[in-house]
Amino acid sequence: MRPEHDPSKNITPSRPFSHRSSNGSSNGTTIPPSMKTSPSSHTNGSHEKSESNGYTNGVGRPTGSFFGHDREEVTRILIQSLQDLGYQAAAQQLSRESGHELEGPAVAAFRNAVLQGEWTEAEAFLLGSVEQNQGAVSHGTRAIDHGISNSRGSLSNNSGSREGQLDGQLSGLVLSETATRNELLFLMRQQKYLELLENRDLGAALMVLRQELTPYSSNTSRLHALSSLMMCESAADLRIQAKWDGSDGQSRSQLLSDLSRSISPSVMIPEHRLAVLLQRVKDNQIAECKYHNTADSPSLYLDHTCSRDEFPLVTGRILQGQQDEIWGLQFSHDGTMLATASKDSTVLIYETVNFKTVHSLADHSEGGITYVAWSPDDSKVVSCGQDKSARVWDTQTGNCLLDLTDFTDPVTTAVWTPNGQNIILGSLTPELPISIWNLKGERIYKWEEENRSSKIRVHDIALSPDGNRLVAITSDDRIFIYDYWSRNQLAQWSMGTRMTCINISSDGRHVLVNMKDDRVVMLDIDTGETVQTFPGQKQSTFMIRSCFGGAGEELIASGSEDSKVYIWRRRSGELIEKLEGHEKPSGPESTSFVNAIAWHPHDPSIFASAGDDHTVRMYVTKALQGGHRQGPLAKTPLC
């Protein structure tokens, strides 16, 4: 184990112009891009009928529920799914035979208006308008005596009328309960504004900005960002600055998808509804499968379950190259190498086929190495030492390329920037708690406590995969969130207890923190709210590290002061296994702590643990233990 130092002893932007509604309403569930098709594939049924969403029961048509489900809902979802699958003729045949349409003429007209960029008509079909004698469309006020119950587009007492059009008046589509009319208008007019800028019609764009966008948003930063696009020199520059693919790209289809989330599903079925429902079934089965640890999608034919034998629970190999406690370890990004950091002041690099030592890096003086991190291209590692230094090594030659010795206290942790050109170091040195260095040994920047009268000492740092957010934990029980590029502090959370390590998930959404009160917690990186708690492991005195792991990072693993490895399910917090880990060495002061865990980056059936017993243990499945292996580490048996 590595003791935590007591200071008293002196020892990611998402798309800025996305059409996503700010009210958070949704008619469906987000699904993987591979399940998406262009919204334009949803065509209207082939025959006229009332748009009441009721079905017509013709001669010989089945009636009643479908195994307890509404027959019309099932049929309409099947029509949509057949279209998604590309079976247009089959969809039309089902519509004719059942008497149900996927959507009525008003919805089809609205869809067409958005995809064609006919914004006045799109607003009229969505929110309602009066058709003037001249044929022009303009917004009007909905009248109660026309069967309109409120300004949200709900209809009442309109039997026999077409939904969306009453006595020459377009009533608008029925919206979801959480939809906001102004936000919907803003989204459509934002697209209109961007397209005018793209066509270099700056005068018309300015009119839209002032008269059509500004009245519908109180978000000044949002309006300021849009107004700044007036300065773009070309359409290409606009698309880059707005992160928008233009009117000829998918922007209109994306807008339609976003708007559809605010329309009642009884009128406009959410996109790819059957695929979403099937994905939910799979997700629920995976969530209920205790030992699920594969990226393969479960079959729809059978209920899903995984065997315990398919989970890495057995020791496949023990690495015994170091002479003292091992405090940290990390796989290379390609999984072909493993680096370990030890109290014996060496870093060992193993190849992961036969697990032979490739390099022993031993330039640090006595005190131990606290951390090791691979560069993005795996050509270098940085090691952090109790000797108040950090060193950069060439992983091909084993040569020391850089020695950073500006610190007055131990260097505790390090991360590489995504381009591999800079290193961010965390330290117990109050004057250099977090600092950025280039590979010439030049310090580029250092973060300090905004209140200069107090000093911070950093135990661990993590950088989001996109390189935008830097997170640090300090010796005074706080978490700091910084914008890496602007260097500004975004948030500060007081946790009320000591923390020893921090990780950021690969999707950049969650932060994993080891706490000194025998628990690991997962926090929302935006709000700091606790998403999940993983209790059970023992941690009160020393530095213990955890990690995200398994297929899709659906598992959480941590070391512990009771010599065991703990593994939980990320979503539910369920403790899957408590594995016997490392043996206690002989000697009155010997300990048996498991100090760190590292999961293989490409093979979810392998992870490694580092312990006080001077060993690294490789945990594998029973199949891998028996030598039946594919992919990484496939050339020789692990045991």
Side-chain angles (χ1 to χ4, degrees), residues 7 20 68 72 187 312 412 504 539 569 614:
R20 301 292 181 193
E72 179 189 351
L187 293 176
T412 53
I504 299 179
Q539 180 174 358
R569 296 224 68 86
H614 312 174

Side-chain angles (χ1 to χ4, degrees), residues 42-44 51 53 76 102-114 125-126 162-164 172-174 256 260 263-269:
H42 296 280
T43 58
N44 193 27
E51 291 188 61
N53 284 317
R76 292 179 67 209
L102 173 60
E103 56 191 30
V107 174
F110 166 68
R111 182 187 301 281
N112 183 71
V114 172
F125 283 119
L126 180 61
R162 306 178 73 185
E163 181 179 316
L173 302 178
V174 180
L256 179 64
S260 72
I263 300 173
S264 171
S266 65
V267 176
M268 190 174 187
I269 299 175

Side-chain angles (χ1 to χ4, degrees), residues 88-150:
Q88 303 297 330
Q92 293 174 11
Q93 176 62 30
L94 178 57
S95 180
R96 285 192 295 268
E97 187 172 344
S98 66
H100 300 308
E101 289 180 327
L102 173 60
E103 56 191 30
V107 174
F110 166 68
R111 182 187 301 281
N112 183 71
V114 172
L115 295 178
Q116 296 302 317
E118 299 169 352
W119 303 117
T120 302
E121 289 81 356
E123 290 184 16
F125 283 119
L126 180 61
L127 300 172
S129 71
V130 177
E131 295 180 330
Q132 305 296 337
N133 293 333
Q134 297 87 344
V137 181
S138 61
H139 291 292
T141 304
R142 299 174 175 82
I144 298 298
D145 61 351
H146 279 286
I148 310 303
S149 62
N150 57 52

Side-chain angles (χ1 to χ4, degrees), residues 331-566:
F331 283 100
S332 61
H333 295 90
D334 63 7
T336 64
M337 292 180 283
L338 174 69
T340 62
S342 173
K343 186 180 177 181
D344 67 9
S345 297
T346 66
V347 171
L348 295 188
I349 296 180
Y350 300 90
E351 46 83 14
T352 57
V353 174
N354 298 301
F355 283 94
K356 293 182 178 179
T357 303
V358 178
H359 296 296
S360 178
L361 313 177
D363 284 356
H364 281 276
S365 60
E366 293 184 1
I369 297 177
T370 59
Y371 196 77
V372 62
W374 292 86
S375 65
D377 62 0
D378 296 328
S379 66
K380 304 174 187 69
V381 293
V382 58
S383 58
C384 305
Q386 295 276 68
D387 61 355
K388 309 171 188 177
S389 74
R391 285 173 166 78
V392 177
W393 310 82
D394 186 311
T395 57
Q396 295 299 313
T397 65
N399 293 332
C400 182
L401 303 176
L402 183 63
D403 186 6
L404 301 172
T405 58
D406 292 26
F407 304 89
T408 59
D409 286 289
V411 182
T412 53
T413 183
V415 293
W416 292 79
T417 55
N419 64 8
Q421 298 303 306
N422 297 316
I423 307 164
I424 309 171
L425 298 177
S427 169
L428 298 178
T429 301
E431 294 74 26
L432 285 174
I434 311 173
S435 51
I436 307 174
W437 305 77
N438 64 24
L439 295 181
K440 297 179 181 178
E442 300 167 336
R443 192 179 72 210
I444 298 174
Y445 187 80
K446 70 172 180 176
W447 279 273
E448 292 181 293
E449 170 68 277
E450 291 183 350
N451 178 6
R452 298 300 179 89
S453 62
S454 62
K455 300 294 184 179
I456 60 175
R457 300 169 185 263
V458 169
H459 284 167
D460 202 10
I461 58 176
L463 187 66
S464 61
D466 60 10
N468 290 332
R469 294 197 187 186
L470 179 67
V471 184
I473 58 174
T474 64
S475 59
D476 59 355
D477 311 340
R478 289 183 291 172
I479 297 178
F480 289 85
I481 310 288
Y482 299 98
D483 182 303
Y484 173 73
W485 299 107
S486 70
R487 319 300 195 209
N488 293 330
Q489 180 180 308
L490 303 177
Q492 178 188 145
W493 308 322
S494 179
M495 303 304 293
T497 188
R498 292 297 175 92
M499 300 165 284
T500 61
C501 88
I502 193 162
N503 293 281
I504 299 179
S505 59
S506 60
D507 60 12
R509 296 173 51 204
H510 296 139
V511 173
L512 189 68
V513 187
N514 273 50
M515 315 291 283
K516 281 299 190 71
D517 53 2
D518 299 340
R519 62 192 172 105
V520 180
V521 297
M522 184 168 67
L523 310 175
D524 184 291
I525 197 170
D526 293 320
T527 65
E529 295 180 358
T530 299
V531 177
Q532 192 56 264
T533 301
F534 311 97
Q537 52 91 255
K538 305 303 179 184
Q539 180 174 358
S540 60
T541 307
F542 298 99
M543 304 293 289
I544 303 294
R545 294 187 177 275
S546 61
C547 70
F548 292 96
E553 289 193 341
E554 287 297 322
L555 302 172
I556 302 297
S558 178
S560 178
E561 292 182 7
D562 62 1
S563 80
K564 294 179 175 61
V565 174
Y566 287 73

